[in-house]
Amino acid sequence: MSGVPQRTLLLWCPDWPVLAAEIVDGVPATDPVVVLHANRVVACSERARAEGIRRGLRRREAQGRCPHLTVVDHDPGRDARAFEPVVAAVEEVVAGVEVIRPGACATAARGPSRYLGGEEAAAERIVEHVAQSCVVESQVGIADGVFAAGLAAREGRIVAPGGTREFLATRPVEALGRPALADLLRRLGVRTLGDFAALPAGDVLARFGFDGALAHRLAGGRDDRPLAVRQPPADLIVTADYDEPVDRVDAAAFAARTLAELLHERLAGYGLACTRLGIEAVTAHGQELHRVWRHDGLLTAAAIADRVRWQLDGWLTGSNGRGGTRPARPTAGIVRLRLVPDGVLAQAGLQPGLWGETGAERERAHRALSRVQGILGPEAVVTAVLGGGRSPADQVRLVPWGDERVPARPGPPPLPAAGAAPGAASAPVVVPPGGRAGRRAGRGRAMAEPPWPGRIPPPAPAVVLPAPLAADVRDAAGDPVVVSARLAVSAAPARLTVGDGRPAEITGWAGPWPVDERWWAPAEARRRARFQVSLADGAALLLAVEGGQWLVEAIYD
């Protein structure tokens, strides 16, 4: 910790917790207002100070001094949110701002003083801009180091270069912001920062520890901590307004291509890639449309343009709202279009496929499936996600193509298909409008974490029926096969009839595997037993008996 402290400009907003309560919650800061934390005053308005209220008073004592006092609870989140516009206003004048705390921010004084005509002119310019932009009163202090600049800001003072040590020497030790240390120093007879700075550094470290040694350096004007300036977030959103409403697909395609190229150029300028794209549109009648597209690879300019064009096509050619299967189309043309890169990452962070890049075939599949989603909606194309559970239907969850593939129940993570890039989605299923798709489970993939007692053993069935089919199982004598409450099978299953079909001979069977779920909730309780059976024609089925009724749940290859 050596070197000359950096010349620092610090902006301070007095009574900021009170002002934040006025900005966010509408509490008038001109009234007697106090902000309490742990039943003590941490901030108060000017009117409250006129009534004799000071920081550190207990709530009851503060209300005793001012009976018509307005009490507000301390909320650091509220203070930070309200301070963000102030920081943004400062960044419009100077670059490289560090937020010290809600109500105070600092920047290096050298740059603003050089291009704004001196330190005094820079301070006046910043204070004036904050007042005009945010309607907030503020004060600026300039000194060597952040600590001294903060004390100077409370007086609106500019300390001459090299005069920081003398400026600090007369300040009380309470200015360090360490109540316990200040109380100890006063009991030892050290009352000012100058007295504290005059003590030998080695003795201070031995007596007060590392924090005391740091405070000793601050008291001596040796605050050489560099500013940790924040980088303003890049504005990546692109917007286009149209005088004539866009209500034709060809016009929408042109608008999509132009806006997509602009977004791609803006992302490329920051070295970013887009993986999740938000498309927002506003019609001439004020209707707002929004859709988010996901992609597990690099969204090029052409890919962005395609998705915007598909989405606009899907909106503009939707149903007329008279019972059609497509989403209802807007009642007027589009007058505003916005592209929001919701998910961005560095281009180097994209992981290639197993054999290098993803390849043209995979990109064409993405384009085709996304095109279907743009016309029929996101639920029209789904993928299967494997998770935990006791039945095959529980272990498979269908999610829209491109959405995050998270299992519904805990279990081992799904494995990508052979030849697919890590994290790639499994084979999609296109669901016709108004229809349902059969769910497919991976063969031979056991759900071993957690164990899920009552789960059927591997291999997993190939096809899980959306709705189980009613069946009839009889023994060799033609009597119905019954499973008792103690899981005793009345006779060996011999014939199976599914629905109104013809009876089929059962050549082998295994089971039962009992499941007694949610017995503690009578409305959700379910008790059933499963069987695996093989038929004479080579088919294999997963059966379940529940409440005396036999059902076909899944089919094996």
Side-chain angles (χ1 to χ4, degrees):
M1 300 177 64
S2 61
V4 179
Q6 183 181 23
R7 193 76 174 158
T8 304
L9 182 152
L10 188 142
L11 180 134
W12 172 65
C13 299
D15 306 327
W16 181 253
V18 177
L19 292 178
E22 180 181 46
I23 295 172
V24 177
D25 300 331
V27 179
T30 55
D31 294 346
V33 180
V34 295
V35 179
L36 295 181
H37 177 64
N39 210 37
R40 288 187 179 272
V41 177
V42 295
C44 58
S45 64
E46 183 177 358
R47 180 91 173 269
R49 281 193 295 272
E51 298 287 342
I53 297 176
R54 297 293 183 268
R55 294 180 58 184
L57 288 181
R58 292 186 177 274
R59 175 173 184 158
R60 180 171 297 180
E61 185 177 356
Q63 290 177 331
R65 297 185 181 185
C66 182
H68 53 283
L69 192 65
T70 301
V71 177
V72 179
D73 291 333
H74 180 52
D75 185 354
R78 177 189 60 208
D79 298 346
R81 290 192 304 271
F83 192 58
E84 178 60 26
V86 177
V87 180
V90 176
E91 288 177 336
E92 294 176 359
V93 181
V94 299
V97 178
E98 175 187 358
V99 178
I100 307 300
R101 63 183 180 278
C105 60
T107 183
R110 179 181 179 184
S113 64
R114 294 182 64 180
Y115 64 77
L116 292 178
E119 293 180 346
E120 184 176 355
E124 293 178 355
R125 175 70 179 275
I126 294 174
V127 170
E128 181 181 1
H129 185 71
V130 169
Q132 293 177 350
S133 302
C134 307
V135 196
V136 170
E137 294 184 1
S138 60
Q139 298 178 189
V140 167
I142 301 178
D144 299 335
V146 177
F147 173 68
L151 296 180
R154 296 180 178 273
E155 302 176 7
R157 179 175 174 179
I158 299 177
V159 181
T164 299
R165 186 180 180 91
E166 290 74 15
F167 167 73
L168 295 174
T170 58
R171 309 292 157 181
V173 290
E174 286 78 9
L176 291 170
R178 295 166 169 81
L181 177 62
D183 180 67
L184 179 58
L185 290 175
R186 280 199 171 274
R187 286 190 280 114
L188 294 175
V190 179
R191 303 182 182 278
T192 64
L193 296 183
D195 297 338
F196 186 38
L199 299 177
D203 295 343
V204 171
L205 177 62
R207 178 63 179 83
F208 302 106
F210 179 78
D211 187 67
L214 177 60
H216 182 258
R217 291 186 59 87
L218 295 179
R222 297 189 299 275
D223 177 16
D224 55 352
R225 177 182 65 86
L227 290 173
V229 299
R230 76 170 194 168
Q231 296 295 331
D235 185 11
L236 303 176
I237 301 175
V238 294
T239 307
D241 295 321
Y242 307 104
D243 296 333
E244 294 293 333
V246 177
D247 54 3
R248 301 194 320 272
V249 176
D250 56 347
F254 178 79
R257 183 171 62 254
T258 304
L259 205 58
E261 291 176 354
L262 178 60
L263 175 61
H264 184 70
E265 291 177 1
R266 185 167 297 184
L267 290 171
Y270 289 97
L272 301 175
C274 178
T275 59
R276 190 167 62 251
L277 176 67
I279 304 174
E280 301 176 357
V282 180
T283 68
H285 291 170
Q287 184 180 3
E288 297 182 1
L289 308 173
H290 179 74
R291 181 66 53 82
V292 177
W293 291 76
R294 294 177 183 266
H295 187 69
D296 60 352
L298 173 64
L299 274 176
T300 62
I304 295 174
D306 286 341
R307 282 153 178 80
V308 178
R309 176 169 53 85
W310 296 336
Q311 188 57 62
L312 293 177
D313 188 8
W315 281 333
L316 296 176
T317 60
S319 70
N320 55 11
R322 298 178 180 174
T325 57
R326 294 183 180 182
R329 62 171 177 257
T331 58
I334 294 173
V335 295
R336 175 174 295 176
L337 184 63
R338 298 177 74 235
L339 300 185
V340 182
D342 191 18
V344 294
L345 73 164
Q347 290 192 16
L350 292 174
Q351 189 171 8
L354 184 60
W355 295 286
E357 298 301 327
T358 56
E361 294 78 6
R362 187 178 175 197
E363 179 61 25
R364 283 199 298 269
H366 275 287
R367 289 161 60 91
L369 297 172
S370 300
R371 179 75 173 96
V372 174
Q373 283 185 316
I375 297 175
L376 301 179
E379 301 292 338
V381 184
V382 295
T383 60
V385 180
L386 293 181
R390 295 181 175 85
S391 68
D394 297 335
Q395 296 167 8
V396 180
R397 171 174 172 259
L398 296 179
V399 298
W401 172 258
D403 283 4
E404 189 174 5
R405 306 180 71 248
V406 178
R409 293 176 174 84
L415 300 176
S426 61
V429 179
V430 179
V431 182
R436 299 181 65 184
R439 293 181 283 185
R440 290 194 162 266
R443 173 181 293 275
R445 190 173 299 167
M447 296 297 151
E449 298 178 3
W452 294 103
R455 177 183 55 86
I456 62 172
V463 178
V464 180
L465 300 177
L469 302 177
D472 181 49
V473 179
R474 297 185 177 269
D475 57 17
D479 297 327
V481 177
V482 179
V483 181
S484 69
R486 295 182 176 271
L487 301 177
V489 182
S490 61
R495 286 190 300 274
L496 170 68
T497 304
V498 180
D500 298 331
R502 300 180 59 182
E505 182 183 356
I506 298 177
T507 58
W509 63 281
W513 290 281
V515 174
D516 190 0
E517 295 179 301
R518 302 192 65 81
W519 48 265
W520 60 90
E524 303 174 6
R526 191 177 185 187
R527 179 182 175 90
R528 62 192 184 279
R530 296 192 184 89
F531 292 79
Q532 292 174 333
V533 299
S534 58
L535 306 180
D537 59 2
L541 305 176
L542 176 65
L543 305 181
V545 58
E546 182 176 0
Q549 174 65 53
W550 287 87
L551 303 170
V552 179
E553 288 189 337
I555 304 172
Y556 294 90
D557 281 348

